[in-house]
Amino acid sequence: MNNIFLNKLYLENYKLFIKETLTFEDGLNIFDGPNGYGKTSVFDAIEFVITGTIKRITENKAINGSLKYNHIFLANDSRKDTIIKSEFYIKDAFNDSHKIVIAKKIPGVRTTVSSVDRNPKKLAEITETYLLPSFETEELRDDYIIPRDQLASKQIEWFGSTSQSMYTMLYYVQQEDRLEFFRATEKERVGSIDVLFQINAEKIKLREITQAQKKLKNTIIKGLEEKINTLSANISEGVSLSTLNKPEYFRLLSRDFPWDLETLRFRNESDFQEILKVISGIKAFRQEIESYEIDLKNRKGVDFLSLAEEVQQNRLLSFLFYSTIGEKLGDYIERQKNLNFLNKQYELSVNEKYVEIDYQQLSKVLDVETDIAQIQVLIESYTYNQSNTKTTQQTLQSVLQIRKQLLNKSTELLGDNPSGICQYCGFDWKDSKILSEQIAATTKNLEKLADGSIQQCIKIIEQLKEIFVSKLKQAIENKQRAYLSDNLFNEFLRLHNPKFMQQSVDMSYILSLFNIESTFVFSSDPQNNTNAIAQLQNMIKSSIKLLPPEYESNKTRFGYDAILDTYFDSLEKAKEMSLEMIDKKIDFIRYSFQASQQELYKQLEALKEKKDTLKNIIEKDLNEYSTKWKQSISKYQAQILSKIEIPFYIYSARILQSYQGGQGILMSQSSGTEGEVDSIRFTSPGHEHDILYTMSSGQLSGVLLSFSLALHKIFKGDGLDVMFIDDPVQCMDDLNIVSFVELLRSEFAKSQLLISTHEKGFANYISYKYKKQNLPYKRINLKEL
């Protein structure tokens, strides 16, 4: 068995210590001095070396681990490295010994920028650990560094496993945490014991087993039962489970629908019935498709007869009109186009705009030969001369043309002017001969003012006028008269427009639906048209057929219009589908549903089997496993408590000699419903109440010391044989202090003890008692360092 003791401790730039080396005895080491001189800091440094952390710092919930800091909290001067160096010696079973030297270095702050790395909870992450060849080694070289991922295993190797997992319970009694265990509830004490003796993992495992049982029962099995119920609800009664003969698959419709696929999916019978309803509607529609055709015709007729009387008459009038025109429609449209053209050209001549007339097209329409080449030359010459004429000359030319047009118009309207009144200015010359001479003279004077280009333009216009008058004017008038001599064409000019013609097309369609062949023609006599329209209305009314009530009922029930729009491209396509094809499709759907029901039944049986298997596992295997696990935990808990119970009773009796006549404190435990230890109670003999509320704080301190010493004595294991006690006697009376010292001197004489106190009398007394018995001791006054 190995025993490990602390020999030396070197502190550099650590809290209050600039550079200090502390040496320790194998037995008692007493730190005394006032509060604030570093007693707890020394304990923190030793804990940091042994465990790699300082739990009162890193586990402090009041410290926010995400905050940034400017300084390292352990450093006296944050700019310098902080170094903690310790020397331990190890004695084996043969009393041979060797030393190990461990150092911790926290680098100094090289920058003033705050960082989360300087947060107290990041201490282990910024610290380097070194294994040194000797305590005198000053240079902390990189090859001495212990990698962080190996540090935990190295600490167990050096100091033993209990030093890492149970340091604060077995080795370190802290002043501020001394009453925490006793102040916990009786159930919480069990949790501390479980962690202390490493059965917390087993209890967690037991909870996992219990949770697995609950999960299997409440989640998985319940989920299976829900699936079973769902499947059972989806399986129809009376479904045949015998072998089915699969009908041949074929596609019924050209459009894509899920129920027309080869592989069908049914969640339940409701899906099947919904598909059957669709197919039944299609079948009913196909059976009554002839009635549906009649219904469509009827609706067209009813819609027409529902229109206002004036609208009906206008539509039938359009039908009469265009049916009478018949094949002449194209000719009439061409005539209308030509007549509009002739009217426009004639209007240009009236306005003396002979240059703008389309002579080539006009000759073609009139079928009159003209010298188009000559006319083209004249027009091009006119354009050329016109472009060379200045603005003033152009204006003069326009005046001459206007005067000539006005004179022509006056002559056409008034003939000769015997009164001698001027057509231009209204002056009365009293004699028409004098007026003519004056107009001719004025014209001659204006022409003298015009240059050659204008004269040429005037001459060309006269030539074009001559051509038009001599060859085209009369032909236009004859053609116009010929067109307008046709009374039906005159009606065409009055009535024809795209909307009126479309009404005729629509009306013709309605009449054709009812096979109405009209012998009526459009008449110039309105009464004749009114009589014909009335007879056509009566023929439409008499053509509407009465359909059976069953058809009307089925049409509403299945929605025949929607069926046609949804499933067919046209009524003709619907007629191509036979009733036999529909019946075969129904057979295929029935087969698919039966097959899906069989598949659901197989799934149901598999789920039932799975549920029964899992229930058997819960009720037998897991129950048996958890029972044995609970029994093992309970047995182990009882063994642990029984090992502590006697030394704890003895130690507490020795420290609390003035309490209950020297009797110790009893530990009683109660079991839960599962048999494991449920709670721990500390009582004095003959009392049932817990000492937490029956003892003073000083007495509770003595009980805690007794409990801590008992734990250390029984469970410290192989490795670290040091106990650190921070200010143990601050609340204890003198008699209990004397008893505590005697207990240490007799029971822990071979253990290394590091005890701090600010009580000088206690330091003197315990030093005297150890000296008197020739036990190794050392007194260190931190104030005098």
Side-chain angles (χ1 to χ4, degrees):
M1 179 176 180
N2 292 332
N3 292 321
I4 302 173
F5 301 97
L6 177 62
N7 196 31
K8 295 179 182 178
L9 182 67
Y10 171 77
L11 304 173
E12 179 180 335
N13 192 39
Y14 172 75
K15 293 192 175 181
L16 298 176
F17 302 97
I18 306 303
K19 278 188 180 181
E20 198 67 51
T21 300
L22 303 176
T23 58
F24 304 97
E25 286 289 339
D26 293 354
L28 173 67
N29 296 271
I30 185 80
F31 294 90
D32 68 324
N35 288 333
Y37 278 85
K39 298 189 293 294
T40 302
S41 296
V42 172
F43 286 150
D44 286 345
I46 296 170
E47 179 186 0
F48 189 35
V49 170
I50 293 173
T51 67
T53 186
I54 303 174
K55 285 192 175 181
R56 75 183 185 91
I57 303 297
T58 58
E59 295 183 1
N60 190 332
K61 295 180 180 179
I63 298 175
N64 184 342
S66 63
L67 295 181
K68 296 180 179 180
Y69 292 84
N70 292 320
H71 306 288
I72 303 295
F73 80 102
L74 290 181
N76 183 285
D77 185 347
S78 212
R79 296 168 297 177
K80 299 179 181 179
D81 295 344
T82 299
I83 298 174
I84 302 172
K85 184 165 54 174
S86 57
E87 179 182 84
F88 295 87
Y89 69 91
I90 304 173
K91 292 182 180 179
D92 60 20
F94 302 102
N95 210 31
D96 294 329
S97 64
H98 65 278
K99 299 178 181 178
I100 59 171
V101 180
I102 302 167
K104 298 274 188 181
K105 183 178 79 171
I106 305 166
V109 175
R110 310 305 181 198
T111 174
T112 58
V113 179
S114 62
S115 172
V116 72
D117 291 338
R118 295 163 202 161
N119 190 291
K121 292 196 173 185
K122 301 290 185 179
L123 180 61
E125 298 175 19
I126 63 172
T127 302
E128 294 291 351
T129 304
Y130 300 81
L131 183 62
L132 303 179
S134 70
F135 192 78
E136 288 71 28
T137 302
E138 293 184 357
E139 182 182 3
L140 302 181
R141 298 185 345 214
D142 289 346
D143 56 332
Y144 295 154
I145 292 177
I146 301 171
R148 285 193 178 92
D149 59 351
Q150 299 178 18
L151 184 58
S153 61
K154 285 291 184 182
Q155 288 171 170
I156 293 174
E157 178 185 337
W158 296 329
F159 306 113
S161 59
T162 56
S163 68
Q164 306 302 305
S165 60
M166 296 178 278
Y167 181 83
T168 55
M169 201 69 167
L170 298 184
Y171 301 95
Y172 187 15
V173 182
Q174 300 177 73
Q175 179 178 342
E176 61 267 29
D177 295 335
R178 133 169 341 176
L179 298 178
E180 183 179 351
F181 178 78
F182 289 99
R183 286 174 179 165
T185 66
E186 296 173 4
K187 287 189 176 183
E188 289 172 342
R189 291 170 182 169
V190 176
S192 299
I193 293 294
D194 291 341
V195 174
L196 175 65
F197 299 107
Q198 302 181 38
I199 60 171
N200 192 49
E202 282 69 22
K203 296 198 78 172
I204 291 174
K205 185 68 175 180
L206 178 60
R207 282 198 299 270
E208 289 175 351
I209 295 170
T210 304
Q211 288 170 357
Q213 287 178 296
K214 291 180 179 178
K215 184 177 180 180
L216 281 171
K217 184 176 181 180
N218 298 332
T219 304
I220 299 177
I221 290 181
K222 187 177 180 180
L224 288 173
E225 288 175 345
E226 290 176 355
K227 289 182 179 180
I228 288 170
N229 292 336
T230 300
L231 284 177
S232 298
N234 291 338
I235 296 177
S236 304
E237 295 182 4
V239 172
S240 173
L241 299 178
S242 59
T243 303
L244 302 173
N245 295 321
K246 183 177 181 180
E248 180 182 357
Y249 168 77
F250 66 94
R251 191 159 177 167
L252 185 66
L253 302 172
S254 59
R255 300 180 185 178
D256 292 331
F257 294 95
W259 55 264
D260 203 17
L261 301 176
E262 184 169 7
T263 302
L264 302 181
R265 296 283 183 263
F266 300 92
R267 291 170 300 179
N268 47 44
E269 187 175 1
S270 179
D271 287 352
F272 170 64
Q273 294 298 337
E274 190 64 29
I275 293 174
L276 279 187
K277 181 179 178 181
V278 171
I279 299 294
S280 299
I282 293 174
K283 183 177 181 179
F285 173 74
R286 181 59 187 87
Q287 286 174 325
E288 298 187 301
I289 200 165
E290 288 77 13
S291 296
Y292 183 75
E293 282 187 288
I294 296 172
D295 185 23
L296 291 178
K297 295 177 183 179
N298 286 350
R299 279 186 266 173
K300 290 290 184 181
V302 170
D303 290 344
F304 172 75
L305 296 172
S306 300
L307 297 172
E309 183 67 23
E310 181 180 353
V311 176
Q312 292 183 45
Q313 291 178 356
N314 191 56
R315 292 190 177 185
L316 286 170
L317 179 65
S318 69
F319 168 74
L320 285 176
F321 177 69
Y322 284 105
S323 63
T324 301
I325 291 177
E327 296 179 354
K328 295 180 181 179
L329 179 62
D331 180 55
Y332 276 14
I333 292 174
E334 185 66 23
R335 282 190 194 185
Q336 185 184 40
K337 178 181 176 183
N338 290 340
L339 182 60
N340 290 336
F341 174 75
L342 292 174
N343 291 340
K344 181 178 179 181
Q345 301 307 304
Y346 196 84
E347 180 68 22
L348 290 172
S349 73
V350 171
N351 294 322
E352 298 286 329
K353 295 181 179 180
Y354 294 104
V355 177
E356 298 178 21
I357 293 174
D358 187 348
Y359 292 94
Q360 186 172 2
Q361 181 65 21
L362 191 57
S363 299
K364 183 179 179 181
V365 172
L366 297 174
D367 195 19
V368 173
E369 290 186 5
T370 55
D371 192 346
I372 298 300
Q374 179 193 0
I375 294 173
Q376 189 64 35
V377 169
L378 290 173
I379 292 174
E380 289 175 358
S381 177
Y382 177 88
T383 303
Y384 174 78
N385 284 283
Q386 183 77 6
S387 64
N388 292 332
T389 304
K390 295 181 180 180
T391 305
T392 304
Q393 295 296 322
Q394 289 176 350
T395 303
L396 183 58
Q397 179 186 351
S398 298
V399 170
L400 287 170
Q401 289 179 341
I402 292 171
R403 282 172 60 82
K404 188 173 291 187
Q405 291 173 9
L406 184 58
L407 182 60
N408 293 336
K409 282 286 184 182
S410 299
T411 303
E412 289 179 8
L413 294 173
L414 303 175
D416 295 333
N417 187 358
S419 64
I421 297 174
C422 181
Q423 296 92 332
Y424 302 119
C425 64
F427 182 77
D428 190 358
W429 293 90
K430 306 299 183 179
D431 190 324
S432 61
K433 183 178 180 182
I434 296 173
L435 174 61
S436 298
E437 291 173 355
Q438 289 296 327
I439 291 173
T442 303
T443 302
K444 189 173 182 179
N445 289 334
L446 289 173
E447 288 175 349
K448 286 180 181 180
L449 295 174
D451 62 13
S453 295
I454 293 178
Q455 294 293 338
Q456 186 64 28
C457 288
I458 293 172
K459 183 178 179 181
I460 291 171
I461 290 173
E462 288 296 328
Q463 288 176 311
L464 290 173
K465 178 179 179 181
E466 175 62 26
I467 294 171
F468 180 82
V469 172
S470 63
K471 292 190 176 184
L472 299 174
K473 181 179 179 182
Q474 189 62 45
I476 290 175
E477 292 173 351
N478 293 338
K479 198 73 168 177
Q480 289 173 328
R481 282 193 296 270
Y483 282 159
L484 298 177
S485 63
D486 186 342
N487 292 332
L488 187 58
F489 178 67
N490 283 321
E491 293 293 339
F492 177 83
L493 294 176
R494 182 175 65 86
L495 296 175
H496 173 69
N497 61 66
K499 182 179 179 182
F500 195 62
M501 188 166 62
Q502 183 59 47
Q503 288 178 350
S504 172
V505 173
D506 295 341
M507 200 68 243
S508 179
Y509 170 70
I510 293 174
L511 294 172
S512 66
L513 283 178
F514 295 106
N515 297 320
I516 297 174
E517 295 183 2
S518 171
T519 58
F520 302 106
V521 294
F522 181 83
S523 173
S524 57
D525 184 355
Q527 186 59 47
N528 291 339
N529 292 333
T530 301
N531 294 336
I533 288 170
Q535 292 185 55
L536 287 172
Q537 286 176 313
N538 290 330
M539 293 171 70
I540 293 172
K541 291 178 184 177
S542 62
S543 297
I544 295 175
K545 297 181 179 179
L546 184 65
L547 293 171
E550 294 80 6
Y551 167 80
E552 296 294 342
S553 175
N554 288 336
K555 183 181 76 169
T556 303
R557 175 186 172 192
F558 295 112
Y560 285 168
D561 290 338
I563 288 175
L564 179 61
D565 291 342
T566 303
Y567 301 108
F568 300 102
D569 297 328
S570 66
L571 198 60
E572 294 305 316
K573 287 289 184 182
K575 289 181 179 180
E576 293 175 3
M577 180 186 297
S578 67
L579 293 174
E580 181 182 3
M581 293 169 63
I582 298 174
D583 289 336
K584 286 183 177 180
K585 174 57 70 172
I586 292 174
D587 290 341
F588 183 83
I589 291 171
R590 288 187 186 279
Y591 159 79
S592 298
F593 174 66
Q594 293 280 358
S596 70
Q597 289 283 289
Q598 288 189 1
E599 183 62 30
L600 288 179
Y601 185 80
K602 291 177 183 178
Q603 294 176 19
L604 178 63
E605 293 301 308
L607 287 175
K608 286 180 178 179
E609 183 179 354
K610 185 176 182 180
K611 187 193 84 169
D612 293 341
T613 302
L614 289 176
K615 284 188 70 175
N616 185 58
I617 291 173
I618 294 173
E619 294 172 357
K620 183 180 178 183
D621 298 343
L622 281 180
N623 283 346
E624 182 179 348
Y625 185 58
S626 62
T627 299
K628 290 181 178 179
W629 199 273
K630 292 171 189 173
Q631 291 172 350
S632 299
I633 291 174
S634 300
K635 185 176 180 181
Y636 184 64
Q637 286 175 324
Q639 289 175 350
I640 290 172
L641 294 175
S642 65
K643 286 182 179 182
I644 301 173
E645 188 174 11
I646 294 176
F648 170 60
Y649 180 81
I650 295 171
Y651 291 171
S652 61
R654 292 182 64 176
I655 291 178
L656 303 175
Q657 292 190 27
S658 62
Y659 181 77
Q660 292 290 331
Q663 297 185 80
I665 301 301
L666 299 174
M667 291 177 59
S668 60
Q669 61 192 50
S670 61
S671 300
T673 56
E674 303 294 339
E676 76 278 6
V677 175
D678 184 61
S679 63
I680 298 174
R681 181 179 299 172
F682 294 91
T683 60
S684 58
H687 293 80
E688 62 177 348
H689 291 289
D690 195 274
I691 61 172
L692 176 64
Y693 48 89
T694 61
M695 279 189 167
S696 67
S697 58
Q699 290 171 327
L700 287 174
S701 295
V703 173
L704 173 67
L705 287 171
S706 303
F707 188 70
S708 300
L709 292 171
L711 289 174
H712 181 80
K713 192 74 171 179
I714 301 300
F715 297 109
K716 67 181 178 65
D718 185 12
L720 193 65
D721 193 12
V722 181
M723 192 166 188
F724 309 94
I725 306 176
D726 187 13
D727 211 352
V729 298
Q730 59 176 338
C731 298
M732 295 169 60
D733 58 31
D734 291 343
L735 180 59
N736 291 346
I737 292 173
V738 170
S739 301
F740 171 60
V741 172
E742 290 303 316
L743 178 63
L744 293 180
R745 195 174 64 162
S746 60
E747 291 293 325
F748 297 90
K750 294 183 179 181
S751 295
Q752 186 178 35
L753 300 174
L754 275 71
I755 301 176
S756 69
T757 182
H758 67 280
E759 300 283 348
K760 188 175 182 180
F762 173 69
N764 290 333
Y765 177 74
I766 193 170
S767 298
Y768 166 76
K769 296 297 288 185
Y770 265 72
K771 181 179 179 181
K772 186 175 181 180
Q773 197 168 331
N774 295 320
L775 294 175
Y777 78 96
K778 185 171 185 177
R779 184 173 176 179
I780 304 171
N781 191 312
L782 295 178
K783 184 178 180 181
E784 297 174 356
L785 293 178

